[in-house]
Amino acid sequence: MKYSLAIHGGAGTILPESMTREKEQAYLQGLKDALQIGEQILIKNGSALDAVEAAVKVLEDNPLFNAGRGAVFTHDKTHEMDASIMCGKSITAGAVAGVKNIKNPVSLARKVMEKTEHVMLCGEGAMNFAKLINTEIMPDDYFYSEERYQQLHQALAEDIILLDHYHKTNDKKFGTVGAVALDTNGNLAAATSTGGMTNKKFGRVGDSPIIGAGTYANNAKCAVSCTGHGEYFIKSVVAYDVFCLMEYKQLSLEQACHLVVNTKLKNIGGEGGLIAIDKEGNISMPFNSIGMYRGMLSHNKPLHVAIYK
Amino acid sequence: MKYSLAIHGGAGTILPESMTREKEQAYLQGLKDALQIGEQILIKNGSALDAVEAAVKVLEDNPLFNAGRGAVFTHDKTHEMDASIMCGKSITAGAVAGVKNIKNPVSLARKVMEKTEHVMLCGEGAMNFAKLINTEIMPDDYFYSEERYQQLHQALAEDIILLDHYHKTNDKKFGTVGAVALDTNGNLAAATSTGGMTNKKFGRVGDSPIIGAGTYANNAKCAVSCTGHGEYFIKSVVAYDVFCLMEYKQLSLEQACHLVVNTKLKNIGGEGGLIAIDKEGNISMPFNSIGMYRGMLSHNKPLHVAIYK
């Protein structure tokens, strides 16, 4: 009856000195909440797919994380969100890009997977699909936070596009949330969700909704969810690269994840990290940035959450 | 002074009996035109990137192929196009999804690669970027053709979403164009462009603009452009899978392409094909459908175009 669950809430320049103790505790509590909801499903022999969706929803509903409710502001003062989900048993996937006012983009991605013949829907079209299937739509003020709005004003003033929270120059945070799970039936799943970049223009899409880049799951080897500077993750096809290194080169999960994050991505300046799980329930959570909000648990390991190295 | 170039104009149920001799010749001439434009660049030591962009532009400008001018109608009687391009030397890429009225989506994808810090732009935002950089915009009637319009009406009547031209039930054509090239400096590049599916709804995005799925290029091994039932190509991360089989399992280009198209994709019902080129200039163009519009040439092989097996 083995099960495992890992989650992340973004990676980047997370400096202890720029954190208050209260804020740190709030982040850690947010991660715990998501892990506990996921575990409740796994412990009752629920599916990995249900567990990753539920854990990501908790993180989407938490205004601290850049996904769902906590999504950052685009240049046009809107919130454009991306998400994807993949089932390692059926090798099926769903994704949405550039959707607005959706309470839980990860659940919409799952509907794309289960209710359509498609994998990816984007923009207005994806919104029309969401309305058709009665997805929960929230008004603009649900996504409003004073801190996010100030981040936009700061970015507008400096004419830069920010990757999430922003404290000072050269501070980068890659706001994304994600989960990977192994259920008691031996099935793997992965999900990723993001609010993108502060001051984002031009309908930019990062790696989060791209199957193979930000998200990948295949019972044959592993499930992976990424967080980082999305453009590097897309060009490096990060999530599927972890799978291929295991499948074709017989690397262990730990070896594959370490090589991809700490060598391949690092060598090209691709800042960030990932969470991954294999069919034995091993978990790897490497990152090459200063910090990554992350947590894990399994049938025989207690809940653990962390921010720094 | 080795160079090679391969192109495709889509794959699917292309039956000789449903073709007129005139139409067949028109398709073959369209492929020849694209190859010749590409070769003019390669023979003068131009870049693989310039060659694939130029060849794809010729196919986008030809109303016979489902990309650019020949893009099929969406459910809303518009034309939504996707394209991507990747440079194997710099491992950089650009992509656009769900853009309208753009004369040459492949060139817009290249601008995303070269003029922004992003890889992928989608929908309205991508259109705003296109206008900002003075991309050539065409009126709706540029994309109108009576045949495409009839295809939409047929699809609407049957309430189905078609993958391109459509003649009778179970006839599928996957309208996409693409090119891969090796230039005399040893650099590889790949590009893919599509008009999507007739009667397409909900902002569906296929594999064409997804780096790793429809398009991938890396000087270390190969350049790949795909055409087929996009959802299967996304879930299988087809273009990067060819690369990984070569890089991690030491398969030859031919072995990797054959395995992916004729075993892995075929086993899951993923109809279509791909064109690929390695750093020695070898070309592979496998497909598991009845036909694939395709062509190739190299410094020591004459131009060759074909439709059927």
Side-chain angles (χ1 to χ4, degrees):
Chain A
M1 300 295 277
K2 286 198 290 192
Y3 64 83
S4 290
L5 175 66
I7 61 168
H8 70 75
T13 313
I14 306 166
L15 296 169
E17 57 266 33
S18 61
M19 271 279 203
T20 61
R21 177 145 183 84
E22 289 68 34
K23 199 158 181 184
E24 208 171 280
Q25 285 308 312
Y27 275 105
L28 293 173
Q29 188 59 51
L31 294 168
K32 280 179 202 168
D33 294 344
L35 283 168
Q36 281 161 349
I37 291 287
E39 183 171 34
Q40 282 173 27
I41 291 165
L42 295 172
I43 210 166
K44 291 177 195 153
N45 301 315
S47 73
L49 199 61
D50 285 344
V52 296
E53 181 189 359
V56 167
K57 279 175 76 172
V58 171
L59 296 167
E60 285 178 339
D61 292 345
N62 186 331
L64 285 176
F65 300 101
N66 177 20
R69 181 166 203 172
V72 297
F73 280 93
T74 66
H75 184 76
D76 300 323
K77 299 191 176 64
T78 62
H79 303 275
E80 280 180 16
M81 302 171 283
D82 308 325
S84 64
I85 192 165
M86 187 159 183
C87 172
K89 181 186 178 188
S90 56
I91 324 285
T92 53
V96 290
V99 295
K100 295 174 187 169
N101 297 86
I102 302 295
K103 182 169 185 279
N104 292 111
V106 70
S107 299
L108 183 58
R110 184 165 175 182
K111 293 286 189 200
V112 173
M113 178 174 94
E114 295 179 342
K115 304 282 183 198
T116 81
E117 295 188 331
H118 304 311
V119 170
M120 189 174 194
L121 302 182
C122 86
E124 281 299 311
M127 300 289 295
N128 291 337
F129 171 71
K131 285 166 198 158
L132 189 75
I133 60 163
N134 297 315
T135 298
E136 199 166 359
I137 309 277
M138 300 302 273
D140 288 344
D141 61 6
Y142 172 79
F143 301 91
Y144 181 86
S145 91
E146 183 59 27
E147 188 181 349
R148 296 290 194 216
Y149 199 67
Q150 290 308 323
Q151 285 165 2
L152 173 63
H153 275 276
Q154 190 185 350
L156 286 168
E158 299 180 21
D159 195 25
I160 49 168
I161 293 174
L162 301 178
L163 291 154
D164 182 12
H165 325 275
Y166 183 81
H167 300 288
K168 55 174 191 266
T169 309
N170 291 328
D171 240 29
K172 288 189 281 189
K173 286 199 195 177
F174 307 103
T176 312
V177 306
V180 292
L182 170 74
D183 65 33
T184 57
N185 290 307
N187 295 316
L188 295 168
T192 312
S193 180
T194 187
M197 301 160 84
T198 295
N199 197 24
K200 183 180 80 163
K201 282 182 263 195
F202 306 131
R204 175 258 187 188
V205 175
D207 63 312
S208 301
I210 309 286
I211 299 304
T215 303
Y216 187 73
N218 186 326
N219 274 5
K221 288 291 170 192
C222 61
V224 182
S225 170
C226 300
T227 171
H229 199 146
E231 280 70 13
Y232 292 92
F233 282 65
I234 293 176
K235 290 179 284 191
S236 302
V237 201
V238 167
Y240 191 62
D241 202 28
V242 170
F243 174 83
C244 288
L245 285 164
M246 295 179 70
E247 177 80 359
Y248 301 148
K249 286 200 88 172
Q250 281 74 51
L251 264 57
S252 69
L253 182 82
E254 190 61 32
Q255 289 169 330
C257 291
H258 179 74
L259 176 62
V260 168
V261 172
N262 292 315
T263 303
K264 296 178 82 170
L265 276 169
K266 201 169 181 181
N267 286 348
I268 59 169
E271 198 177 339
L274 60 81
I275 54 172
I277 199 163
D278 69 14
K279 54 186 182 163
E280 277 76 44
N282 297 307
I283 290 171
S284 181
M285 304 195 288
F287 53 100
N288 61 34
S289 46
I290 291 178
M292 179 167 84
Y293 300 107
R294 64 199 187 278
M296 57 174 277
L297 59 78
S298 64
H299 64 283
N300 60 0
K301 284 195 191 117
L303 184 153
H304 167 77
V305 291
I307 302 176
Y308 314 109
K309 286 213 170 159
Chain B
M1 300 296 276
K2 285 199 289 191
Y3 65 83
S4 290
L5 175 66
I7 61 168
H8 70 76
T13 313
I14 306 166
L15 295 168
E17 56 267 34
S18 59
M19 271 279 204
T20 62
R21 177 145 184 85
E22 290 68 34
K23 201 159 181 183
E24 206 170 282
Q25 285 307 311
Y27 275 106
L28 292 172
Q29 188 59 50
L31 293 168
K32 279 180 201 168
D33 294 344
L35 283 168
Q36 281 160 350
I37 291 287
E39 183 170 35
Q40 282 173 26
I41 291 166
L42 294 172
I43 210 165
K44 290 177 197 154
N45 302 314
S47 72
L49 200 61
D50 285 344
V52 296
E53 182 188 358
V56 167
K57 279 176 76 173
V58 172
L59 296 168
E60 285 178 339
D61 293 344
N62 186 331
L64 285 176
F65 300 100
N66 178 19
R69 181 166 203 171
V72 297
F73 280 93
T74 66
H75 183 76
D76 299 323
K77 299 190 176 64
T78 63
H79 304 274
E80 281 179 17
M81 301 171 285
D82 309 324
S84 65
I85 191 165
M86 187 159 184
C87 171
K89 182 186 178 191
S90 57
I91 323 286
T92 52
V96 290
V99 294
K100 296 175 188 171
N101 298 87
I102 303 294
K103 183 169 185 280
N104 293 111
V106 71
S107 298
L108 182 58
R110 183 165 176 181
K111 293 286 189 198
V112 173
M113 178 173 93
E114 294 179 343
K115 304 283 183 197
T116 81
E117 296 188 333
H118 304 312
V119 170
M120 189 174 194
L121 303 182
C122 86
E124 280 300 311
M127 299 290 295
N128 292 336
F129 171 71
K131 284 166 198 160
L132 189 75
I133 59 163
N134 297 315
T135 299
E136 198 165 0
I137 310 276
M138 302 301 273
D140 288 345
D141 62 5
Y142 172 78
F143 300 91
Y144 181 87
S145 91
E146 183 59 28
E147 187 179 351
R148 295 289 193 217
Y149 199 66
Q150 290 309 322
Q151 285 166 3
L152 173 63
H153 274 276
Q154 189 185 349
L156 285 169
E158 300 180 21
D159 194 26
I160 48 167
I161 293 174
L162 300 178
L163 290 154
D164 183 11
H165 324 275
Y166 185 81
H167 300 288
K168 55 173 189 263
T169 309
N170 291 328
D171 239 30
K172 288 189 282 188
K173 287 198 195 177
F174 307 103
T176 312
V177 306
V180 291
L182 170 75
D183 65 32
T184 58
N185 291 305
N187 295 316
L188 294 168
T192 311
S193 180
T194 187
M197 300 158 86
T198 296
N199 195 24
K200 182 179 80 163
K201 281 184 262 194
F202 306 131
R204 177 261 185 185
V205 175
D207 63 313
S208 302
I210 309 287
I211 299 304
T215 302
Y216 188 74
N218 186 325
N219 273 5
K221 287 291 170 192
C222 61
V224 182
S225 170
C226 300
T227 171
H229 199 145
E231 280 70 14
Y232 292 92
F233 283 65
I234 293 176
K235 291 180 283 189
S236 303
V237 201
V238 167
Y240 192 61
D241 201 28
V242 169
F243 174 82
C244 289
L245 286 164
M246 296 179 71
E247 178 78 359
Y248 301 148
K249 287 200 87 171
Q250 281 74 53
L251 265 59
S252 70
L253 182 82
E254 189 63 31
Q255 289 169 329
C257 292
H258 178 73
L259 177 62
V260 168
V261 172
N262 291 315
T263 302
K264 296 178 81 171
L265 276 170
K266 200 170 182 181
N267 285 349
I268 59 168
E271 196 176 340
L274 59 80
I275 54 171
I277 197 163
D278 69 15
K279 54 186 182 163
E280 277 76 45
N282 297 307
I283 289 171
S284 181
M285 304 195 288
F287 53 100
N288 62 33
S289 45
I290 290 177
M292 179 168 83
Y293 300 107
R294 65 199 186 278
M296 56 173 278
L297 59 78
S298 64
H299 64 283
N300 61 359
K301 283 195 193 117
L303 184 152
H304 168 76
V305 291
I307 302 176
Y308 314 108
K309 285 211 171 161

